[in-house]
Amino acid sequence: MENIQKVENLILGAGLAGLSVSYHLGHDKCVIFEKKNHSGGHIHSEILNGFTWDEGPHLSFTKHQYVKDLFFKSIAGEVEEFTGVPTNYYKGSWIPHPAQSNLYALPEEIKNECLEDFLNTRAAIDKEHKPENYQEWIEMAFGKTFANTFPKIYTEKYWTVSPELLSTEWVGERVYYPEVEIVKQGAVAPLAKSTHYMTTVRYPSKGGYNSFANQLVENANIQFQKEVVAINLEDKLVTFGDNTIYRYEKLFSTIPLDLFINYCSAPKEIQDAAYQLMCSELLVLNFEINHPAVIKEQWLYVYDEDKISSRINFTELLSPNNAPGGKCGIQVEVYFSKYKPITEDFNHYIKIVTGELLEMGLIADKKDIIEVHPRWVQYANVIFDLNHTTALNKVLNWLETYGLVREDDDLKPMTDWSSKKANDIKFGDLILAGRFGQWKYYWTDDCVMRGKYISENV
C-alpha cells in the first residue's frame, strides 16, 4: 500500500493566487505545492549584477483599498508612487499614450487621414450593431485608418493573432474608447489631462514587484520543487514527481487549466477542448545598459510592423533601486504562441532587438550594452480568441462532475469584484484560482481578491 499523506486544503501553485488562497484561509490550514524553487509565480523578481528584473513590467494601480493596504503593509510603506507615463513609438515619432487621443503627435499626412476617417466612422456608426470580433471593434472605435495602422499591428505582435480572431469581451477599460471631442482636441495639441486608465501607480522601493507579496508569503507552508504528474479527482489524490501522494479534502488549483486537465487524464474530447485554450508565450530580453534611460516615460509600445519589440520598459524609472547608479535596465517583450511559434534561438532575437533599440535611440551605442539576460515565460497572457468561451465551458462542465461549482461569471474574462459578493455561492471540493487557473484576464489585484473571495465562500 502506497504511503498517502492527508492534507485538508491542498493548493497547487505558489503564485499570487495560491498565496492569497492560503493567506485568507489561514496558512495553518493549507499546504502549497510549487514546481519551482521560489514563490511568486509571474510576479517573481530576480536580482542580477545589481539590477532587479520582474517578469515584464508590473505596476500596481488597483482601485481596491483592501489590496492597496495589503501591498503597503508588505513593503512596510517603502513604496514608489508616481503618475504612470507611457508613450508610443511609430516610425520615428513619439506619441503620448493612448495614441487615439494624441493624434497631434503623428506625422501630418497620417494624422489627417486618421482624424477624417474617425469622424466619418462615428457619424455613420450604427449604435445597435455589436461587433463580432476585435477587428470590427477597433474599426468602430477609431475608424479603419487608425485601426489598421496602430491597434491591428500591435494586436498581431502582443496577442500574436489577427484581431479578426479575437472576441471583444476582454476589452473593458483595457483599450480606451475615445469621445469625439477628445479626439478632435487631441489632434490639435496635447490634452490637459491624460486619458490613460492608469493614473497613480505604485511599485516597491526595493526588491522588485515580488515584494508586494511579502505579507502573503509570511508563514506560508510551501513545499518547493513539487511537480504534479497525476491528479485523481475521483479519489482526491495528487501525485508528484518525487513519487509522493497526497489525499486532499479540498483542492485549489492555480496551475494552468490546460495542464490541470492533462494531469487529470480527462476524456479526449475534454483534453481537446483544453488544448484550444490559447495563451501567449513571452521572451523577455533584459538589457543591462551603461547609461541612464534616455526618455522619461517608464514604458512604451512599439507600433512598427517591421519590429518584433512590442512593449519596452525601463526598470530604474519604476524604482531607482532597480539598477546601479548611472545605469538603466531596459526590458523588451517579444511574444509567441501556438499561432506564432518561436522558430529561432534566443540569440537571434537578441540581435534583432538590439538593432531596434539602437534605431529608436534607446541605447546610445552598442558598446553601452553590458549584458543581456533572456527569460522565457511559457504562460504569458490568455488569448481570448473566438473559440475561447466554447472550449472553456466544455472544460468547466466536465470539472463540475468532480466538485467544481460553476459561477455566474466563470466564462467572462474579468471579474467585477464590486458586484461579486461574499456568500454568493458555496464552493465545492475543487476550486480554481488565478489567471491561468481560471483562464481569465486577471491582474495582480484580481488574484489577491480571488483568494479573499474564496475564503468567504468555503
Side-chain angles (χ1 to χ4, degrees):
M1 181 70 178
E2 295 168 303
N3 182 24
I4 299 176
Q5 303 176 61
K6 294 182 180 180
V7 175
E8 179 183 358
N9 297 307
L10 193 158
I11 302 171
L12 297 177
L16 196 53
L19 292 171
S20 180
V21 170
S22 181
Y23 174 82
H24 288 98
L25 287 178
H27 289 320
D28 59 322
K29 301 174 183 176
C30 304
V31 182
I32 306 174
F33 295 87
E34 169 57 47
K35 179 174 69 172
K36 297 179 180 178
N37 60 3
H38 60 77
S39 63
H42 286 293
I43 67 162
H44 176 63
S45 306
E46 290 184 305
I47 299 177
L48 296 169
N49 305 328
F51 290 83
T52 300
W53 303 106
D54 298 320
E55 196 177 277
H58 286 291
L59 292 165
S60 177
F61 47 93
T62 181
K63 297 177 181 178
H64 301 290
Q65 190 61 46
Y66 178 81
V67 178
K68 288 183 187 178
D69 292 343
L70 185 64
F71 283 180
F72 191 78
K73 187 176 181 181
S74 287
I75 42 89
E78 294 188 81
V79 67
E80 306 295 322
E81 193 168 36
F82 49 88
T83 300
V85 185
T87 188
N88 303 288
Y89 181 89
Y90 173 71
K91 296 184 177 180
S93 295
W94 292 96
I95 308 160
H97 193 74
Q100 56 265 42
S101 53
N102 290 284
L103 296 180
Y104 77 90
L106 291 177
E108 194 70 18
E109 183 178 353
I110 186 69
K111 178 187 77 172
N112 293 333
E113 285 184 35
C114 287
L115 181 59
E116 182 180 2
D117 194 15
F118 168 79
L119 294 175
N120 290 337
T121 298
R122 286 298 180 89
I125 198 167
D126 178 3
K127 294 182 179 180
E128 299 300 316
H129 175 72
K130 291 187 177 182
E132 295 184 2
N133 55 58
Y134 186 50
Q135 178 68 33
E136 284 193 12
W137 191 95
I138 59 177
E139 289 180 5
M140 289 175 64
F142 314 124
K144 287 186 177 181
T145 303
F146 185 92
N148 291 326
T149 305
F150 294 98
K152 175 181 172 62
I153 300 304
Y154 191 77
T155 296
E156 291 170 349
K157 291 167 64 169
Y158 184 84
W159 296 106
T160 74
V161 297
S162 170
E164 287 95 341
L165 299 179
L166 293 179
S167 68
T168 60
E169 278 193 313
W170 62 274
V171 178
E173 296 181 354
R174 269 66 166 176
V175 182
Y176 176 60
Y177 187 93
E179 297 176 5
V180 171
E181 286 305 312
I182 292 291
V183 174
K184 290 168 68 175
Q185 292 171 26
V188 177
L191 297 171
K193 185 179 179 181
S194 172
T195 56
H196 188 40
Y197 60 79
M198 289 190 203
T199 52
T200 300
V201 296
R202 288 160 294 278
Y203 186 90
S205 296
K206 300 175 183 176
Y209 197 85
N210 189 67
S211 299
F212 273 148
N214 287 347
Q215 190 68 25
L216 298 175
V217 173
E218 187 176 347
N219 298 319
N221 184 358
I222 308 174
Q223 293 196 25
F224 293 107
Q225 296 183 309
K226 300 285 283 191
E227 183 170 5
V228 177
V229 294
I231 299 172
N232 185 327
L233 295 175
E234 191 165 343
D235 295 334
K236 296 186 175 181
L237 299 174
V238 180
T239 303
F240 295 93
D242 58 4
N243 295 319
T244 56
I245 303 174
Y246 290 81
R247 187 188 303 277
Y248 60 85
E249 292 183 23
K250 290 188 180 294
L251 177 62
F252 302 84
S253 178
T254 73
I255 64 177
L257 189 54
D258 57 342
L259 291 181
F260 183 83
I261 291 298
N262 187 52
Y263 295 141
C264 292
S265 298
K268 185 179 184 304
E269 63 175 318
I270 304 303
Q271 291 194 34
D272 289 345
Y275 185 78
Q276 292 178 43
L277 297 174
M278 295 294 175
C279 73
S280 60
E281 302 164 342
L282 171 61
L283 175 60
V284 184
L285 299 178
N286 297 322
F287 285 76
E288 298 178 7
I289 304 300
N290 197 24
H291 61 68
V294 299
I295 63 174
K296 67 181 185 302
E297 293 85 1
Q298 297 101 351
W299 72 98
L300 65 102
Y301 305 92
V302 182
Y303 283 108
D304 291 9
E305 189 173 12
D306 63 350
K307 291 182 173 60
I308 63 172
S309 303
S310 58
R311 187 169 55 179
I312 301 172
N313 82 93
F314 302 85
T315 63
E316 86 280 13
L317 297 184
L318 307 182
S319 169
N321 296 308
N322 277 354
K327 297 178 172 59
C328 76
I330 300 180
Q331 193 168 60
V332 183
E333 297 168 81
V334 184
Y335 284 91
F336 303 91
S337 71
K338 291 176 185 175
Y339 286 109
K340 180 187 172 184
I342 187 168
T343 57
E344 307 287 346
D345 64 22
F346 293 165
N347 288 329
H348 172 82
Y349 300 103
I350 290 173
K351 182 178 179 180
I352 293 175
V353 169
T354 297
E356 294 176 358
L357 294 175
L358 288 166
E359 181 187 334
M360 290 186 278
L362 300 178
I363 299 176
D365 193 283
K366 191 173 182 179
K367 69 177 185 297
D368 291 314
I369 300 173
I370 304 168
E371 198 168 347
V372 184
H373 307 283
R375 184 173 178 181
W376 180 252
V377 182
Q378 190 70 41
Y379 288 83
N381 294 299
V382 170
I383 298 174
F384 295 95
D385 61 11
L386 299 177
N387 297 321
H388 169 267
T389 301
T390 300
L392 181 59
N393 189 53
K394 186 174 289 188
V395 169
L396 297 182
N397 278 341
W398 182 76
L399 291 176
E400 191 175 18
T401 64
Y402 291 99
L404 179 74
V405 174
R406 295 295 302 267
E407 301 171 60
D408 290 342
D409 64 348
D410 59 15
L411 295 178
K412 295 181 179 179
M414 281 94 74
T415 296
D416 180 0
W417 297 108
S418 62
S419 64
K420 195 174 178 69
K421 304 298 183 183
N423 302 316
D424 277 351
I425 64 171
K426 183 70 174 177
F427 282 115
D429 296 336
L430 172 60
I431 304 167
L432 306 177
R435 173 183 289 187
F436 288 105
Q438 296 173 262
W439 219 259
K440 283 182 172 284
Y441 198 165
Y442 268 7
W443 285 334
T444 54
D445 55 352
D446 294 302
C447 293
V448 173
M449 294 299 290
R450 179 61 174 174
K452 181 176 184 291
Y453 178 76
I454 285 171
S455 72
E456 293 165 348
N457 289 275
V458 169

